Amino acid sequence: MANIENQKFIALDISGKNYLSWVLDVKLHLSAKKLKYTIDEDNASSNEECVTALIFLRHHIDDGLKYEYLTVENPLELWQNLNDRYEHLKAVVLPKALNNWSQLRFQDFKTVS
């Protein structure tokens, strides 16, 4: 991650610990660049748009993931591969985060009725 100063947000860690926030950031940035449809099924994007989206995705993933998915030349395929790899984290991390949030909210009050 030598090029971190050029990144718009934190790159996806190879462990996937920041996958949920990374997905949201990528979708927002691709939407802002009008390239979000390049990671959707049945898209009719041009080759130039696909390459631009692929460069953006590869720029925002860990170097280990870049090497692992070196041969992937389609942003949709890369997106699906990463989704298959880290989607299980929603079932593990999200409920724990929601529980922590509810516990934190209760700490704001002296009593709960």
Side-chain angles (χ1 to χ4, degrees):
M1 292 193 314
N3 57 1
I4 198 161
E5 65 276 354
N6 295 330
Q7 295 177 342
K8 297 181 182 353
F9 51 89
I10 296 174
L12 176 62
D13 188 57
I14 197 163
S15 69
K17 65 181 177 184
N18 64 337
Y19 176 71
L20 296 176
S21 62
W22 180 84
V23 166
L24 180 61
D25 289 339
V26 167
K27 285 182 179 180
L28 290 172
H29 279 82
L30 287 177
S31 293
K33 293 179 177 237
K34 297 180 177 40
L35 293 172
K36 186 176 178 201
Y37 60 90
T38 59
I39 58 171
D40 293 335
E41 293 281 340
D42 302 325
N43 63 50
S45 55
S46 69
N47 189 36
E48 181 179 306
E49 292 167 332
C50 282
V51 169
T52 304
L54 185 62
I55 289 170
F56 181 81
L57 287 173
R58 289 183 50 80
H59 186 70
H60 289 90
I61 60 175
D62 186 76
D63 289 339
L65 290 170
K66 283 182 192 178
Y67 294 126
E68 187 170 336
Y69 297 109
L70 191 63
T71 60
V72 176
E73 296 180 358
N74 185 347
L76 175 60
E77 185 180 349
L78 178 60
W79 184 258
Q80 289 173 338
N81 287 342
L82 293 171
N83 187 36
D84 292 343
R85 182 177 181 145
Y86 297 115
E87 183 67 22
H88 72 281
L89 293 176
K90 284 185 181 176
V92 176
V93 175
L94 190 57
K96 183 179 178 188
L98 291 173
N99 184 35
N100 288 346
W101 174 249
S102 67
Q103 296 296 323
L104 181 65
R105 287 179 44 207
F106 279 129
Q107 292 176 2
D108 291 340
F109 302 101
K110 292 180 182 177
T111 61
V112 177
S113 56

